[in-house]
Amino acid sequence: MKGNVAFQHIRFGYDNILMQDINIRLKSGDKVAIVGPTGAGKTTLVNLLMRFCDIQGGKITIDGVDIHSLRRADLRRMFGMVLQDAWLFGGTIRENIAYKFLQIRLC
């Protein structure tokens, strides 16, 4: 895998269409920051790439290969993902990490 990613004419929404004709091309080695206010679609872009959600139109490719032709498990092994979660709960750091691990396993 080289790592070229393309979002081509993406159409997506949960109940209503939120993204229409989104086109993004990322070349291998690019450094990308996805920034914007709450609700702008930052997490949604990552969810679409990782196939946590499926698009209603267009396609997403990695090195020219449509991600829908890949098994989700194989696709997700290609990426490292670090989510920002600023919520800490009362208790120890160990308890917070254990809680977060449990949340990830339940998804």
Side-chain angles (χ1 to χ4, degrees):
M1 178 177 90
K2 292 180 182 174
N4 299 304
V5 176
F7 290 74
Q8 301 170 353
H9 306 287
I10 298 301
R11 182 172 187 265
F12 175 76
Y14 297 101
D15 294 325
N16 301 312
I17 296 301
L18 303 172
M19 296 180 174
Q20 182 72 35
D21 202 28
I22 301 296
N23 295 284
I24 302 170
R25 292 195 184 279
L26 306 170
K27 294 179 188 170
S28 176
D30 282 352
K31 291 184 172 126
V32 178
I34 303 171
V35 297
T38 299
K42 303 176 298 290
T43 301
T44 299
L45 284 174
V46 174
N47 286 343
L48 295 175
L49 178 62
M50 303 294 283
R51 287 199 60 208
F52 293 124
C53 305
D54 281 324
I55 57 178
Q56 279 89 35
K59 68 179 178 177
I60 301 171
T61 62
I62 300 172
D63 297 333
V65 176
D66 190 323
I67 63 170
H68 283 89
S69 68
L70 304 170
R71 291 180 341 143
R72 280 186 168 99
D74 294 335
L75 172 67
R76 292 173 187 167
R77 276 191 209 99
M78 295 178 182
F79 294 94
M81 184 168 65
V82 178
L83 300 174
Q84 179 180 347
D85 193 348
W87 298 100
L88 289 177
F89 301 97
T92 66
I93 292 173
R94 179 187 196 120
E95 290 167 338
N96 273 269
I97 292 171
Y99 174 75
K100 193 60 181 170
F101 180 72
L102 177 62
Q103 274 187 316
I104 292 168
R105 291 184 54 108
L106 293 176
C107 290

